[in-house]
């Protein structure tokens, strides 16, 4: 099946919706173009406090699931951290040739 077919499955939609909600809880809606947001593993939206964007920057590990705000799609898209450097910059699967600085995270 194609990507569209997979994303149209009810189970996948629920998981993606939960990821988006949890990312918004963590950094607030519209975290900004080029922002990478963590995708927590909890499956429901919590009423807990929001983590500041600064506290998350530079804390990613290779393999961490994240979401990337695409300015062309005007939406958050799932991605994965594929590389991290000593300075806290990351490369994500959606932008495989671009280092994202701590400030942009």
């Amino acid at each position: 099946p194609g990507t569209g077919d997979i994303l149209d499955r009810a189970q996948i939609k629920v998981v993606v919706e939960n990821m988006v909600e949890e990312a918004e809880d963590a950094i607030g809606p519209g975290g900004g173009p080029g922002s990478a947001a963590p995708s927590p593993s909890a499956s429901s939206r919590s009423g807990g406090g929001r983590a500041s964007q600064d506290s998350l920057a530079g804390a990613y590990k290779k393999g961490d699931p994240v979401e990337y705000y695409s300015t062309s799609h005007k939406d958050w898209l799932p991605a994965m951290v594929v590389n991290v450097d000593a300075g806290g910059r990351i490369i994500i699967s959606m932008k495989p040739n671009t280092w994202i600085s701590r400030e942009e995270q």
Side-chain angles (χ1 to χ4, degrees), residues 41-62:
S41 60
S43 63
S44 65
R45 196 172 189 167
S46 68
R50 295 175 189 253
S52 75
Q53 194 169 356
D54 291 337
S55 69
L56 300 172
Y60 297 108
K61 300 182 305 285
K62 189 173 181 177

Side-chain angles (χ1 to χ4, degrees), residues 25-87:
D25 282 347
I27 64 167
S35 296
S39 184
S41 60
S43 63
S44 65
R45 196 172 189 167
S46 68
R50 295 175 189 253
S52 75
Q53 194 169 356
D54 291 337
S55 69
L56 300 172
Y60 297 108
K61 300 182 305 285
K62 189 173 181 177
D64 280 350
V66 294
E67 291 184 324
Y68 176 78
Y69 186 79
S70 168
T71 54
S72 58
H73 292 284
K74 295 180 177 43
D75 201 3
W76 290 92
L77 304 174
M80 177 125 355
V81 175
V82 295
N83 206 349
V84 179
D85 73 4

Side-chain angles (χ1 to χ4, degrees), residues 17 31 89:
E17 287 170 2
R89 297 183 310 161

